[in-house]
Amino acid sequence: MKTIVLKFGGTSVGTIDRIKKVCKIIAFYKKKKNKVVVVSSAMSGVTNELVNKSKLISSNFDRAEYDVLVSTGEQASCALIAGRLKHNGFKSRSWTSWQLPILTDGPHSSARIGSIGIKELNRYLKSGGIPIITGFQGVSKDLRITTIGRSGSDATAIMLAKFIKADECIIYTDVDGVYTTDPRQYKKAKKIKKIFYDEMLEMASLGSKVMQPTSVQDAKLNKIDVKVKSSFVSKSGTLITNSKKAFSDQIITGISSTKNDAKITIVGVKDRPGVAASIFKPLSKNLINVDMVVQNISLDGRETDLTFTIKADDLKKTEKLIKQNKKISFKKLSFDKGVSKVSIIGVGMITTPGITYRMFQALASKKINILVISTSEIKISVLVSVKHVKRAIAALHKEFKLD
Ligand code: ADP
Ligand code: ASP
Ligand code: MG
């Protein structure tokens, strides 16, 4: 008898009809005599609606209450799934995070799962029941409700697979696997059969929304193989794994792009030790995530320009913090909201020279200007104007023979 964790994302449970369909998938696994554990997201749109409501109440909505609020969507979808399964004659019940419990560490809205109580869950599975567990939420040691970051139900499923020692963990979503790039943005995108954790982690962190980045980290750390499949069509999906068997010989595995980035340039800051730290300290204190950073080589050794990217939502706050910062002086501050980061990812680039050149040449041939560059062992990212993103993806997809 296998134990299988099935996770359903927001679109998969987005309507009553969809919930009925998802229950058929659950029944399929149950009828094969598996122990089936289900994790569900909120119905699509529900979490966004709750987030918007919190913003209307206060621009500085209390983080603990934010978690109480936004975690409610999952409770509703889980009750609906359990209710439907019972209607169909199965033994099922919903479980919220405090009932198991799913214990988390770290700050509200971006906590991490530390442990999951599985005693009751195991007893229930043995008795033939199908537990339906709220994704995204946890409970802190001081018994407050927490959430584990947007799209966090992926991490809930993976951590449940770890704690109950599941044989399989399947993430059901609205696409039939991980593609070379977002298939909704680029029609020639191809499904990837197998992808290494590290590549998936980079793709997810660099904007491929299909998996939550933290959840891929959890899968990697705990060596949980994860399948990504569609709840809409019955097709083979993608396996996220570290197993080296049957991998393709592509140099580049995928292309990701971000949305809503902004670029800031501080012109004429002093070229002295500690200046960069003074600029970034208040940003870090205010939880503003700084991404790409470049500093010009100063010609006279006295002044330099510093450019960095943040999320566009943080732009106003960042501008205010820089202007208020008494520890720095500068000549000018400039902003650009319409930028996006396009990245190529693949473990193949470790052993293949010339990838950077090919990327830059492909972009140059389409007259796409590169604003900022950053690299790591298995990825190269460039910042470009948002109006060039689609063309950049198409050019790179073709250059690296992913079409
Ligand atoms: P869910 O609600 O099931 O969690 P998400 O919206 O979080 O679903 O993720 C699925 C979406 O991810 C797809 O609809 C697709 O547009 C997007 N996506 C972005 N990049 C990729 C990619 N490389 N492969 C597949 N899907 C991707
Ligand atoms: N409902 C939450 C969100 O929209 C968590 C999830 O879908 O995984 O972010
Ligand atoms: Mg998701």
Side-chain angles (χ1 to χ4, degrees), residues 1 35 91 120-129:
M1 188 183 262
K35 286 180 181 169
K91 179 174 175 175
E120 282 307 310
L121 201 60
N122 268 333
R123 218 202 318 253
Y124 190 69
L125 284 168
K126 262 193 197 147
S127 76

Side-chain angles (χ1 to χ4, degrees), residues 108-388:
H108 279 288
S109 80
S110 56
R112 297 282 297 252
I113 296 175
S115 67
I116 301 181
I118 50 154
K119 216 168 125 202
E120 282 307 310
L121 201 60
N122 268 333
R123 218 202 318 253
Y124 190 69
L125 284 168
K126 262 193 197 147
S127 76
I130 310 175
I132 317 294
I133 297 161
T134 49
F136 183 45
Q137 56 171 268
V139 56
S140 62
K141 298 212 168 54
D142 54 352
L143 302 182
R144 297 297 311 253
I145 292 194
T146 56
T147 59
I148 57 172
R150 293 303 305 268
S151 302
S153 305
D154 295 337
T156 308
I158 288 163
M159 292 305 272
L160 264 165
K162 167 193 158 120
F163 282 101
I164 58 162
K165 299 190 172 67
D167 301 282
E168 266 188 83
C169 178
I170 309 177
I171 306 287
Y172 274 101
T173 182
D174 55 7
V175 277
D176 63 329
V178 179
Y179 277 68
T180 48
T181 192
D182 187 345
R184 297 194 197 285
Q185 276 201 43
Y186 187 62
K187 292 287 165 252
K188 289 185 187 165
K190 290 272 169 332
K191 188 159 66 186
I192 303 168
K193 274 192 187 152
K194 268 190 175 190
I195 183 165
F196 285 122
Y197 294 125
D198 283 336
E199 292 175 321
M200 189 68 245
L201 187 54
E202 288 284 10
M203 281 184 73
S205 310
L206 294 165
S208 296
K209 188 173 171 265
V210 61
M211 288 293 296
Q212 188 209 28
T214 326
S215 76
V216 185
Q217 229 170 17
D218 288 336
K220 183 187 165 183
L221 286 173
N222 298 294
K223 299 190 177 70
I224 311 273
D225 281 4
V226 179
K227 270 188 202 153
V228 179
K229 293 186 80 164
S230 165
S231 69
F232 289 74
V233 287
S234 174
K235 281 190 180 170
S236 66
T238 298
L239 182 67
I240 309 171
T241 181
N242 232 12
S243 145
K244 297 200 169 51
K245 272 185 248 156
F247 264 92
S248 77
D249 52 3
Q250 291 281 9
I251 300 164
I252 298 304
T253 303
I255 303 172
S256 301
S257 65
T258 56
K259 286 193 183 92
N260 308 324
D261 283 344
K263 175 168 74 79
I264 297 181
T265 302
I266 315 179
V267 180
V269 284
K270 294 266 174 310
D271 193 11
R272 270 198 273 104
V275 169
S278 303
I279 292 171
F280 292 125
K281 189 176 172 188
L283 305 189
S284 135
K285 265 195 166 169
N286 284 275
L287 303 178
I288 292 170
N289 217 351
V290 175
D291 185 13
M292 304 169 104
V293 184
V294 277
Q295 185 180 315
N296 288 348
I297 307 257
S298 70
L299 290 175
D300 57 4
R302 274 189 275 173
E303 279 184 356
T304 183
D305 305 336
L306 191 80
T307 298
F308 58 92
T309 62
I310 50 166
K311 284 286 150 208
D313 282 351
D314 290 331
L315 193 55
K316 271 199 182 139
K317 207 168 170 188
T318 305
E319 183 183 0
K320 201 168 143 201
L321 288 168
I322 294 172
K323 285 183 175 161
Q324 279 173 351
N325 192 339
K326 300 244 160 41
K327 294 239 162 80
I328 55 166
S329 63
F330 54 86
K331 286 192 177 139
K332 205 179 116 193
L333 206 54
S334 69
F335 308 99
D336 189 351
K337 253 186 154 182
V339 291
S340 190
K341 187 166 67 167
V342 177
S343 311
I344 56 171
I345 297 111
V347 292
M349 71 173 77
I350 300 175
T351 47
T352 317
I355 303 302
T356 315
Y357 162 73
R358 279 175 65 186
M359 181 183 197
F360 294 172
Q361 183 55 42
L363 296 173
S365 72
K366 298 285 172 212
K367 302 213 165 18
I368 296 169
N369 194 28
I370 299 171
L371 306 169
V372 182
I373 301 160
S374 75
T375 62
S376 80
E377 226 184 4
I378 65 162
K379 70 116 204 263
I380 306 169
S381 301
V382 293
L383 194 72
V384 297
S385 164
V386 79
K387 61 177 189 270
H388 295 322

